[in-house]
Amino acid sequence: MKNILEAPFMVEMIRTATNMYAHGWDERNGGNISLMLEEAAVAEYLDLHSVLRTIPTGFTAPALEGRIFLVTGTGKYFKNVQYAPEVNLGIVRLQDQGRRADLLWGYADGGQFTSEFPAHMMSHVARLQVNPENRVVMHCHPANLLAMTYVHTLDERAFTRTLWQMCTECIVVFPEGVNVLPWMLCGTNEIGEATAEKMRTARLVVWSQHGIYGAGKDLDETFGLIETAEKAAEIYMKIAHLPRLNTITDEQMHLLEQRFGIKAREGYLD
Ligand code: 13P
Ligand code: ZN
């Protein structure tokens, strides 16, 4: 068996968590990541029949039966992931219609996957239906997006248009826009179901007064989505209290659609 700490998926996960912490998106234990792994890739590093323990999930997700995920641990600090991956991360395989997760590696101090596991797994189901290549769900607490949910309307079209107007390339990076949930109790199946429903039409879902969820085909794409939305929110928070003399017009956004071969969400541009 090869050393799992050298597996490309593990190296990338550790780098991503470290980078998210460096961006200030994951204070304390804030944030969580789940990365779906290919069975053949995992089999190079782990005996897939060797189950360390079994953890109930509290939900069902039949579409994910047998799927393997590398997931951050609950209560664990992103800043520590690079120093003790085996304590702060775990690899689980969903079984029994997703009702239980077999631990194959990690959570070495007796811990378990993030409290947001329902939102992650339900979002994977939703995104895989839209794009079979989806592999990542990522949650974090970026300050400017969070701040924006206190001072900006939570109407999804208006919220999206404001972000698009803050940087020229926003509409290119997330042409489907961002969806927004009102404040809800985190760590529950209810917020998981609501997030997954929002994930059917966008890869970014804002949790008002809490943070953001992103989904994508790999860690880089997902990180980049959140990074771009957060940059736009940062510019908004810099200018929101100032008179706006200039903006990116809808006409200019239509030019961007043509130039980059993308299509803005139906009805979001005039
Ligand atoms: P966990 O430590 O359980 O991952 O929770 C962090 C968080 O951000 C909850 O929304
Ligand atoms: Zn959170």
Side-chain angles (χ1 to χ4, degrees):
M1 287 281 165
K2 295 201 253 175
N3 179 1
I4 194 156
L5 293 178
E6 289 168 11
F9 56 77
M10 186 68 70
V11 171
E12 197 58 23
M13 182 76 156
I14 294 168
R15 282 186 186 154
T16 302
T18 305
N19 201 9
M20 289 173 75
Y21 176 71
H23 275 66
W25 300 347
D26 298 279
E27 76 291 343
R28 201 175 182 274
N29 66 309
N32 20 78
I33 313 172
S34 58
L35 168 64
M36 195 167 95
L37 304 174
E38 308 307 323
E39 184 176 317
V42 184
E44 291 179 35
Y45 304 91
L46 295 177
D47 173 3
L48 297 176
H49 302 291
S50 168
V51 176
L52 301 175
R53 56 193 155 93
T54 289
I55 310 169
T57 65
F59 58 83
T60 56
L64 297 180
E65 163 113 33
R67 304 311 296 247
I68 302 172
F69 294 89
L70 174 57
V71 191
T72 53
T74 185
K76 299 297 189 251
Y77 294 23
F78 273 32
K79 79 179 176 65
N80 295 338
V81 168
Q82 63 177 319
Y83 305 114
E86 198 160 352
V87 172
N88 294 289
L89 303 173
I91 294 179
V92 293
R93 175 178 229 165
L94 289 185
Q95 303 287 23
D96 188 19
Q97 308 273 300
R99 283 190 194 88
R100 62 184 170 87
D102 287 347
L103 182 64
L104 303 176
W105 175 89
Y107 306 140
D109 63 352
Q112 67 172 61
F113 41 71
T114 172
S115 60
E116 305 295 2
F117 202 57
H120 279 255
M121 294 303 112
M122 292 175 194
S123 293
H124 275 285
V125 173
R127 285 314 303 173
L128 284 166
Q129 281 171 5
V130 181
N131 177 10
E133 309 247 282
N134 196 86
R135 293 291 177 273
V136 176
V137 173
M138 183 182 283
H139 165 63
C140 56
H141 305 161
N144 294 287
L145 278 163
L146 235 150
M148 208 172 142
T149 67
Y150 288 86
V151 298
H152 194 284
T153 168
L154 301 179
D155 174 78
E156 289 170 341
R157 181 178 185 274
F159 202 95
T160 295
R161 285 175 55 81
T162 295
L163 291 177
W164 282 351
Q165 287 164 359
M166 293 303 110
C167 309
T168 292
E169 292 184 15
C170 273
I171 193 169
V172 180
V173 176
F174 49 93
E176 78 270 41
V178 302
N179 287 339
V180 183
L181 280 179
W183 187 92
M184 291 178 73
L185 188 60
C186 53
T188 61
N189 286 353
E190 288 69 31
I191 201 169
E193 283 154 15
T195 307
E197 182 58 34
K198 293 289 185 191
M199 281 281 179
R200 292 156 65 95
T201 48
R203 292 164 297 160
L204 287 169
V205 179
V206 171
W207 279 11
S208 294
Q209 295 84 49
H210 183 136
I212 190 161
Y213 267 76
K217 67 177 180 353
D218 55 33
L219 288 162
D220 252 9
E221 179 189 87
T222 316
F223 183 98
L225 271 172
I226 294 176
E227 186 179 29
T228 307
E230 169 61 3
K231 168 69 85 65
E234 180 179 357
I235 295 163
Y236 176 74
M237 294 309 296
K238 281 186 200 292
I239 66 161
H241 59 296
L242 299 171
R244 180 131 33 129
L245 302 183
N246 307 298
T247 193
I248 304 170
T249 65
D250 282 32
E251 202 175 13
Q252 289 165 335
M253 300 235 203
H254 285 302
L255 290 175
L256 288 163
E257 283 185 302
Q258 288 162 30
R259 168 72 182 80
F260 289 94
I262 49 104
K263 185 83 193 78
R265 178 121 158 217
E266 191 68 39
Y268 274 30
L269 290 181
D270 294 331

